[in-house]
């Protein structure tokens, strides 16, 4: 079974530039998550999709971050404009079930450096 | 949201049993307890999940007392490859947001 795919793996940009990350979840997984992990900290949930609908985006900085999952499969996360404090690893995860306890499968992440 | 408290770091030697305790005083009735492992430059990986008493799988055991206000992840006979950060999470895993803390950094030495 293929895992969660993310691209690119690394990205370096200047502040105020824009950047986009792509995630393809495990086939058949209805729930997709985007996390931000700053060095030395645990992952912080940015947004959670159930199919193509948003379940939780309470911690997404909506003035600069946006995410979509148009067909309920793959997803993109965009930052525009980027700030220095956005330097982090952006992790995508997916899970099969929507309700009840469910295991999340994580991708390898995209390491973003904002200069 | 149930908050968890774990030791920041632990040290062990190969072959020893390691027990990492997590405190979650505000756990809700519907919450499960889940542990993830994370190696450098990788995403977290599910280890084990439980609701009460004891759960065991091929890599770990999870002990949960009756009051469910804490839980203990037990790793039998650790090896160097178990050096990682271990996260304890509580939640119902559905539409409720799962919150990762700072985790416990386990270092296994020869």
């Amino acid at each position: 079974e293929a895992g969660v795919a993310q691209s690119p793996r690394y990205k370096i940009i200047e502040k105020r530039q824009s950047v986009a990350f792509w995630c393809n979840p495990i086939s058949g997984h209805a729930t997709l998550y985007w996390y931000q992990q700053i060095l030395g900290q645990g992952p912080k949930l940015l947004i959670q999709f159930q199919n193509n609908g948003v379940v939780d985006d309470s911690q997404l900085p909506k003035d600069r971050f946006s995410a979509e999952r148009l067909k309920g499969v793959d997803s993109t996360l965009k930052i525009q404009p980027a700030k220095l404090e956005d330097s982090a690893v952006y992790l995508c995860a997916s899970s099969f079930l929507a309700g009840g306890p469910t295991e999340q499968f994580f991708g390898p992440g995209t390491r973003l450096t904002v200069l | 949201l149930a908050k968890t408290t774990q030791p920041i770091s632990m040290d062990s030697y190969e072959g020893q049993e390691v027990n990492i305790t997590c405190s979650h005083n505000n756990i809700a009735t519907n919450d499960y307890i889940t542990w993830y492992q994370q190696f450098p430059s990788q995403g977290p990986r599910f280890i084990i999940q439980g609701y009460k008493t004891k759960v065991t799988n091929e890599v770990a055991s999870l002990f949960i007392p009756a009051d469910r206000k804490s839980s203990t992840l037990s790793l039998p006979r650790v090896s160097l490859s178990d050096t990682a950060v271990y996260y304890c999470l509580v939640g119902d895993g559905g539409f409720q947001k799962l919150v990762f803390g700072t985790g416990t950094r386990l270092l296994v030495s020869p």
Side-chain angles (χ1 to χ4, degrees), chain A residues 18-34:
Chain A
S18 62
V19 64
F21 312 126
W22 176 81
C23 172
N24 192 28
I26 293 173
S27 177
H29 281 195
T31 309
L32 185 147
Y33 314 78
W34 281 103

Side-chain angles (χ1 to χ4, degrees), chain B residues 22-92:
Chain B
C22 178
S23 172
H24 29 79
N25 292 319
N26 297 324
I27 190 168
T29 303
N30 294 332
D31 286 344
Y32 281 71
I33 299 155
T34 309
W35 286 80
Y36 282 83
Q37 174 192 55
Q38 187 175 28
F39 298 113
S41 301
Q42 295 185 24
R45 184 180 70 171
F46 175 92
I47 301 175
I48 197 166
Q49 184 177 76
Y51 183 80
K52 62 180 179 180
T53 62
K54 177 183 175 182
V55 179
T56 298
N57 62 22
E58 62 275 11
V59 298
S61 294
L62 178 60
F63 298 92
I64 305 168
D67 66 5
R68 304 201 327 124
K69 293 186 175 182
S70 66
S71 59
T72 300
L73 174 71
S74 181
L75 305 172
R77 299 179 298 282
V78 294
S79 64
L80 298 177
S81 63
D82 292 316
T83 293
V85 178
Y86 292 82
Y87 295 98
C88 165
L89 293 82
V90 296
D92 68 7

Side-chain angles (χ1 to χ4, degrees), chain A residues 43-60:
Chain A
K44 182 181 82 171
L45 180 68
L46 293 176
I47 188 167
Q48 178 179 342
F49 291 95
Q50 175 63 24
N51 295 311
N52 61 348
V54 176
V55 172
D56 184 349
D57 64 356
S58 58
Q59 297 196 106
L60 186 72

Side-chain angles (χ1 to χ4, degrees), chain A residues 8-22:
Chain A
R9 290 295 311 277
Y10 305 91
K11 190 73 176 179
I12 301 174
I13 61 173
E14 304 267 336
K15 61 182 179 183
R16 291 188 290 274
Q17 286 186 323
S18 62
V19 64
F21 312 126
W22 176 81

